[in-house]
Amino acid sequence: MRLFVRLTPKSSVERIDGWDMDDKGRRFLKVRVRAAPIEGRANEALIVFLAKYLKLPKSRLSLVAGDTARLKQIEIDGLDESELTGLLP
């Protein structure tokens, strides 16, 4: 399944701020991480944070789009949308 995430780097805390919708009608999860957006550190922190939160190995999550953009697309192997909805706020 593919998860859209709006990432906020350099936050004082790592947390999920809930769901929102963009102007194209795509639903995305708002996530904050402490890492700075330098050399992919914030992207890596996002993968580690989501894997820990979802209790999945980080090898099952991958960034498929949005490497330098705020809106990211994360591919999660072996998880469907209903399972994801049950795990996230």
Side-chain angles (χ1 to χ4, degrees):
M1 91 143 292
R2 198 159 283 193
L3 173 67
F4 288 90
V5 175
R6 190 187 79 196
L7 181 62
T8 303
K10 293 174 56 174
S11 176
S12 60
V13 295
E14 293 191 340
R15 70 175 185 220
I16 295 175
D17 286 336
W19 295 95
D20 205 349
M21 195 166 290
D22 69 5
D23 55 350
K24 295 179 183 175
R26 291 180 296 193
R27 191 171 177 222
F28 61 86
L29 187 67
K30 299 184 291 184
V31 179
R32 297 176 182 267
V33 294
R34 289 187 176 116
I38 300 170
E39 298 176 0
R41 291 182 199 149
N43 292 337
E44 179 61 26
L46 172 63
I47 296 294
V48 169
F49 175 75
L50 286 176
K52 185 184 245 186
Y53 192 91
L54 297 171
K55 296 180 174 107
L56 296 171
K58 66 180 184 173
S59 61
R60 289 183 46 193
L61 285 80
S62 59
L63 178 67
V64 293
D67 186 43
T68 59
R70 231 176 128 167
L71 190 62
K72 317 276 183 197
Q73 290 181 42
I74 307 294
E75 183 71 33
I76 305 172
D77 290 332
L79 196 66
D80 65 27
E81 191 169 347
S82 63
E83 291 172 316
L84 182 69
T85 303
L87 294 171
L88 294 172

